[in-house]
Amino acid sequence: MSPIAFRAATPADVAALHPLVERAYRGETAKAGWTHEADLLFDERTSAEELAGLIADPERVILLAHDADDLVGCVQVARAGEDRAYLGMLTVEPTLQASGLGRRLLAAAEAEAVARFGARRMEMTVIHRRAELIAWYSRRGYAPTGETRPFPVDPPRPELAFVVLEKGL
């Protein structure tokens, strides 16, 4: 892997961003990595329209990670309060998972939260059944707050509740 370049997504990036997110979270391609939800969820992770809306929202940024010309990862950071940001959609190309790119995306997201939103804390949610992913975030300073949130599907699926993790920045 050559040096990774990070930048904020623009509307022109949606066409490449959408398939990356789907490959990393859903379907057989996701199983090439270890952070997928392919055994828990079978629908689309997001849509091109939803991504375009996130990119257009001034209270959010999607950081893209490029290796030369290849889009290899992304992460969303959103303002979540006066001194808090929300981290979501941390995505690494499945064949590159365990390469250190996730840690680099996480660090870039935390720096962006401080610079863009003045955040002093970062919050995130993880499906409570994803023990290995929660452990990965714990090793990077995120701790459970004790709060849980319902998974946003209709009809509700209580077996997929989110745990809230938080870290001081």
Side-chain angles (χ1 to χ4, degrees):
M1 203 165 23
S2 56
I4 300 296
F6 297 99
R7 68 170 176 83
T10 69
D13 295 310
V14 171
L17 181 58
H18 183 244
L20 170 69
V21 172
E22 295 305 312
R23 275 193 312 275
Y25 281 90
R26 301 288 197 274
E28 290 303 310
T29 57
K31 293 179 181 179
W34 68 273
T35 64
H36 65 83
E37 300 167 345
D39 294 330
L40 299 173
L41 298 158
F42 307 101
D43 59 340
E44 192 175 55
R45 167 61 171 80
T46 190
S47 67
E49 294 77 20
E50 181 181 4
L51 289 171
L54 295 174
I55 291 168
D57 185 343
E59 297 296 302
R60 300 176 185 273
V61 62
I62 297 177
L63 295 178
L64 304 180
H66 282 88
D67 181 4
D69 291 332
D70 297 324
L71 177 61
V72 293
C74 71
V75 62
Q76 176 193 190
V77 181
R79 183 185 308 274
E82 188 174 311
D83 66 348
R84 182 179 307 256
Y86 179 83
L87 177 113
M89 205 167 56
L90 180 62
T91 304
V92 173
E93 181 67 52
T95 59
L96 297 176
Q97 290 180 15
S99 71
L101 180 56
R103 284 189 295 277
R104 293 178 67 192
L105 276 161
L106 187 60
E110 292 168 355
E112 187 73 17
V114 171
R116 185 179 292 248
F117 301 123
R120 294 191 313 232
R121 303 202 66 70
M122 183 78 90
E123 170 185 284
M124 64 180 323
T125 55
V126 179
I127 296 172
H128 78 283
R129 291 176 53 187
R130 303 291 317 283
E132 73 286 353
L133 191 55
I134 293 168
W136 186 86
Y137 283 112
S138 293
R139 290 190 300 273
R140 276 135 199 96
Y142 287 82
T145 65
E147 179 185 355
T148 60
R149 295 180 186 161
F151 194 80
V153 292
D154 191 27
R157 292 187 58 191
E159 78 278 11
L160 296 180
F162 284 124
V163 294
V164 178
L165 306 175
E166 187 176 79
K167 175 183 179 180
L169 298 177

